[in-house]
Amino acid sequence: MVNLSTGICARLQTAEQTDLDLFDGEHILQLLSVKHVGAGNSTTGAVERYRIILSDGEYFLQAMLATQLNGLFQDNSIQKNTIVKVTKMTCNFVQGKRLLIVLALDVVEHVDQKIGNPASYPTPTQEVPATTTNDMDAVPSAPVQQASTSSSHQTTSTAPTAQTAQRRPAANGNRPIYPIEGLSPYQNNWTIKARVTQKSDIKTYSNQKGEGQLFNVTLMDDTGEIRATGFNQVVTALYERLVVGKVYYISGARVNIAKKQFSHLNNEYELGLEKNTSVEECLDTDNLPTIKYNFVALSDLESQPKDSTCDIIGLVQAVGDVTEITTKTNNKKVTKRELTLVDRSEYSVRLTLWGKQAEEFSSPDSVLACKGVKVSDFGGRSLSVFSSSTMVINPDIQEAHTLRGWYDNQGKDVTYSAHQSSGGGAGGGGGGGFVRKEVRSLGDVKSSQLGQGDRNDFFCSQATVVFMKPDSMWYPACQKPDCNKKVVGDDAGWRCEKCDQSWPQPQYRYIMTLACSDYSGQAWLQGFNDVGDMIFGKTADEMFAIKEDSEIKFTELVQAATCEPYNFLCRARTDHYNGQPRVRYGISRIQKLDYKEEAKYLRDMLMSPWGQTAVAVAV
């Protein structure tokens, strides 16, 4: 049996919040109790949480389990008397009482008995009264937000912090500093030390209350990012004071639930700047927050879901002219400029800049590091800069220096690949995302539990269509190009709510549900218009007309289209139906088999060392 870290509970009960070496140290402790104390609430933002009692064999203390560790209790990885190694903690005071929060731990051993005879720490300074190891209600039931970890790429560091009111010492003395990840509507009197990474133009608005103006900034520290917005008088007071790239002490702002339609940052809260908001420039030169990136190679953009955001770094190989377009939503004219970026993965991608950023860009042959750009599938994978995106020209980071050196030495002579259009029509066997050597069987896809994480999982499979649902094969869609929304029949014809327009007839579009099989099993795959076009070689309008004219002929066409093999590029993702999670497989691309290419692939596989070995063993 391992030895507990005797004496650590007494130290934790009297430690200052600034004693980070103690809270970040490794301590072997025993869990004497774990108690569920609340259910999640989508309205208030509260989450499932657990209280625990930790013992070092001499004394015990009570703490909260950070919510990212809830799964350890839910899957019985930790239970009563489990010995754990706590590797990160934080301390907070709620209603004048000390509250310890365990942010990270590892399971060491499961034992049946309590070790030693631990007691409550008997000192006048004890701030969390506890008389028995079963008295869990001594800890105040204040809302505790989910702790999270910020991961970064290569040169960046990981800074896990609880989304609680943890305070940290500031570089300018005794000023208490909150991490951005710790902000929530439950805290008051906080100060953050943050760098301005983005500032919008001043915008005007008009509503029932009158006209006004607003602006927003993106603030960042070592723990995360948050959007801050100011209106009217605040614009006059703070817009010029907040300079992109500088670091500020900010306090007195209102913490609100984030309006996700206006922000793409990974933060459930945002700040409302007010007249009494304090903004003070940080003149210190030590411990300043730096921008953290999680770069995605341009070749890997295919695996990023459409409309998601990501960080990329690339060299500007070409700069397009400034053009002007008219938006569909409000008929407003907007300027844009397209850049072509390349990187060491030997892929190129189109990056679109908008507005003033497009007009002012004049840095060809530079290295761009972009944070939070939108991934689009228009004409293949492309990128677009949001108002909340961060773009740095020639940043002083290792990835930028490496990319510049590679491009100057050999990248200029490379022939770059580009992501193909995401259409799955009869483009045939060129690939366009389907990679033959990466084909996975349907059984392997299911056993690997693809799609059960937070993001889409992409995979290639080769399977045969064995059945398709004929009763729900299409839907009536708007005839306006690029709309494709479902229309509803009424007295005026077929009405599209999105376009606010009616049509004499709809344009039918495929919505396919296919049962596909290979040697390992079967899976249901869902696809849209391009999939139906490929399978039938006819438009949905044509198939609708055939079915209206002759049900027998329609059935014959459906039967003739079954038992045909295809190459599929699919995405697996989890959704919920009647409250139950389920994995769905969507078809991103479908291609007919190119038997010449198949033969070449099999030949090359047989000629490989692995193939020759397999043949020799068989003989």
Side-chain angles (χ1 to χ4, degrees):
M1 183 179 297
V2 299
N3 294 321
L4 302 181
S5 301
T6 304
I8 197 62
C9 286
R11 293 179 60 194
L12 289 170
Q13 286 286 43
T14 58
E16 297 292 333
Q17 289 174 304
T18 56
D19 193 356
L20 299 183
D21 289 340
L22 178 63
F23 292 121
D24 291 345
E26 296 184 354
H27 314 303
I28 304 300
L29 298 166
Q30 185 178 30
L31 289 174
L32 300 185
S33 177
V34 182
K35 181 179 180 181
H36 179 249
V37 293
N41 189 312
S42 59
T43 302
T44 64
V47 292
E48 295 275 348
R49 55 191 190 271
Y50 295 87
R51 292 183 190 158
I52 58 178
I53 293 181
L54 296 170
S55 165
D56 63 4
E58 181 180 9
Y59 296 109
F60 63 80
L61 56 83
Q62 301 181 62
M64 297 296 293
L65 193 68
T67 53
Q68 78 266 23
L69 303 178
N70 285 356
L72 294 175
F73 175 74
Q74 293 163 352
D75 64 10
N76 292 321
S77 295
I78 58 174
Q79 49 194 284
K80 183 177 181 181
N81 294 327
T82 298
I83 298 174
V84 297
K85 178 171 70 175
V86 177
T87 57
K88 180 169 281 292
M89 304 180 72
T90 186
C91 178
N92 183 31
F93 288 88
V94 179
Q95 301 173 4
K97 298 180 180 180
R98 180 185 299 266
L99 179 63
L100 294 173
I101 303 166
V102 175
L103 301 177
L105 62 80
D106 298 316
V107 175
V108 176
E109 185 179 352
H110 295 288
V111 297
D112 297 328
Q113 300 295 326
K114 178 174 65 176
I115 299 175
N117 189 26
S120 176
Y121 185 65
T123 68
T125 60
Q126 181 180 341
E127 294 159 289
V128 181
T131 56
T132 70
T133 57
N134 294 320
D135 182 15
M136 296 298 297
D137 297 324
V139 181
S141 298
V144 178
Q145 300 301 311
Q146 181 175 0
S148 62
T149 301
S150 298
S151 298
S152 52
H153 177 72
Q154 293 183 8
T155 60
T156 61
S157 59
T158 301
T161 61
Q163 263 187 314
T164 57
Q166 179 188 5
R167 298 189 178 194
R168 293 184 178 180
N172 69 330
N174 296 322
R175 184 192 302 252
I177 300 299
Y178 278 75
I180 284 178
E181 280 191 349
L183 294 177
S184 81
Y186 306 111
Q187 285 97 43
N188 297 306
N189 302 322
W190 48 262
T191 299
I192 61 173
K193 178 182 176 182
R195 183 182 299 275
V196 177
T197 59
Q198 171 271 338
K199 183 171 74 170
S200 73
D201 297 333
I202 296 176
K203 304 174 184 178
T204 59
Y205 66 90
S206 178
N207 56 29
Q208 294 178 346
K209 297 181 180 180
E211 296 182 348
Q213 57 182 356
L214 63 91
F215 80 103
N216 61 74
V217 293
T218 300
L219 305 172
M220 183 218 69
D221 68 7
D222 288 334
T223 71
E225 297 176 291
I226 194 167
R227 174 187 172 100
T229 304
F231 292 86
N232 301 324
Q233 295 179 351
V234 177
V235 177
T236 304
L238 296 182
Y239 185 80
E240 297 298 333
R241 292 181 59 190
L242 291 168
V243 178
V244 174
K246 291 189 176 182
V247 178
Y248 298 88
Y249 296 107
I250 300 175
S251 61
R254 186 176 65 256
V255 182
N256 303 316
I257 301 296
K259 299 179 180 65
K260 288 300 184 180
Q261 66 269 35
F262 302 122
S263 175
H264 301 276
L265 300 180
N266 185 25
N267 196 323
E268 60 181 309
Y269 301 115
E270 62 185 18
L271 298 180
L273 303 177
E274 300 181 322
K275 289 187 294 184
N276 61 345
T277 296
S278 172
V279 175
E280 176 187 342
E281 185 177 351
C282 174
L283 301 178
D284 298 336
T285 58
D286 297 328
N287 301 318
L288 297 180
T290 58
I291 299 177
K292 302 291 191 296
Y293 296 99
N294 185 19
F295 291 126
V296 174
L298 299 186
S299 61
D300 294 336
L301 289 176
E302 192 67 53
S303 64
Q304 301 298 307
K306 177 180 177 295
D307 295 331
S308 65
T309 60
C310 68
D311 304 344
I312 58 97
I313 186 168
L315 187 133
V316 182
Q317 191 183 51
V319 179
D321 296 330
V322 175
T323 59
E324 189 175 74
I325 64 171
T326 301
T327 61
K328 296 180 180 180
T329 54
N330 54 14
N331 238 12
K332 184 178 178 181
K333 292 185 177 180
V334 180
T335 55
K336 60 178 285 192
R337 186 197 296 268
E338 293 184 347
L339 312 179
T340 300
L341 303 184
V342 298
D343 71 357
R344 297 178 65 193
S345 68
E346 301 187 359
Y347 262 73
S348 67
V349 70
R350 184 175 69 256
L351 173 71
T352 303
L353 308 181
W354 301 93
K356 183 182 294 186
Q357 199 171 44
E359 297 169 5
E360 296 178 350
F361 185 85
S362 59
S363 302
D365 199 41
S366 60
V367 174
L368 287 189
C370 300
K371 185 173 184 62
V373 293
K374 177 184 177 181
V375 179
S376 171
D377 65 352
F378 179 74
R381 280 295 190 257
S382 60
L383 301 171
S384 180
V385 174
F386 280 124
S387 60
S388 59
S389 303
T390 300
M391 186 177 75
V392 182
I393 300 174
N394 294 323
D396 187 15
I397 58 176
Q398 182 59 47
E399 292 91 340
H401 301 315
T402 302
L403 177 59
R404 165 56 68 186
W406 173 83
Y407 185 81
D408 290 343
N409 290 328
Q410 64 187 92
K412 292 180 179 180
D413 301 323
V414 168
T415 300
Y416 292 91
S417 302
H419 294 284
Q420 303 296 318
S421 173
S422 60
F434 179 86
V435 181
R436 180 61 181 84
K437 64 181 179 180
E438 295 180 3
V439 164
R440 305 182 68 165
S441 69
L442 297 178
D444 178 42
V445 168
K446 291 182 177 181
S447 63
S448 300
Q449 298 183 337
L450 295 186
Q452 295 191 18
D454 296 331
R455 296 170 51 183
N456 291 351
D457 289 325
F458 287 80
F459 63 92
C460 298
S461 279
Q462 200 172 81
T464 299
V465 176
V466 296
F467 177 77
M468 60 187 78
K469 294 182 178 180
D471 53 346
S472 56
M473 197 172 284
W474 48 67
Y475 70 97
C478 178
Q479 291 194 26
K480 189 174 181 179
D482 301 325
C483 177
N484 302 332
K485 294 296 182 181
K486 184 176 181 179
V487 294
V488 179
D490 58 20
D491 294 338
W494 294 83
R495 181 168 181 76
C496 176
E497 296 295 337
K498 178 184 177 182
C499 300
D500 193 21
Q501 189 171 353
S502 294
W503 306 92
Q505 295 292 334
Q507 179 186 27
Y508 287 96
R509 294 181 62 83
Y510 287 110
I511 178 169
M512 308 289 294
T513 301
L514 311 175
C516 298
S517 295
D518 63 9
Y519 70 91
S520 66
Q522 177 178 303
W524 288 95
L525 309 182
Q526 283 80 39
F528 292 96
N529 205 56
D530 293 330
V531 175
D533 287 343
M534 169 66 74
I535 290 177
F536 293 114
K538 300 178 184 295
T539 66
D541 280 328
E542 291 172 329
M543 289 294 288
F544 175 80
I546 291 172
K547 185 174 183 180
E548 291 290 295
D549 181 63
S550 173
E551 188 77 30
I552 295 176
K553 186 175 181 180
F554 169 76
T555 302
E556 290 175 348
L557 288 174
V558 172
Q559 292 177 347
T562 57
C563 298
E564 289 291 328
Y566 294 93
N567 291 329
F568 294 99
L569 174 65
C570 297
R571 63 185 178 276
R573 64 179 179 182
T574 298
D575 63 12
H576 291 78
Y577 180 75
N578 290 335
Q580 297 298 319
R582 61 176 182 178
V583 178
R584 301 185 66 180
Y585 304 110
I587 302 171
S588 298
R589 291 188 177 89
I590 179 175
Q591 300 168 346
K592 291 184 177 179
L593 267 64
D594 185 329
Y595 290 101
K596 181 178 179 180
E597 293 298 321
E598 282 292 306
K600 287 182 179 179
Y601 173 79
L602 296 174
R603 180 203 63 188
D604 293 343
M605 186 172 64
L606 287 172
M607 295 298 293
S608 68
W610 179 88
Q612 292 179 359
T613 301
V615 171
V617 171
V619 173

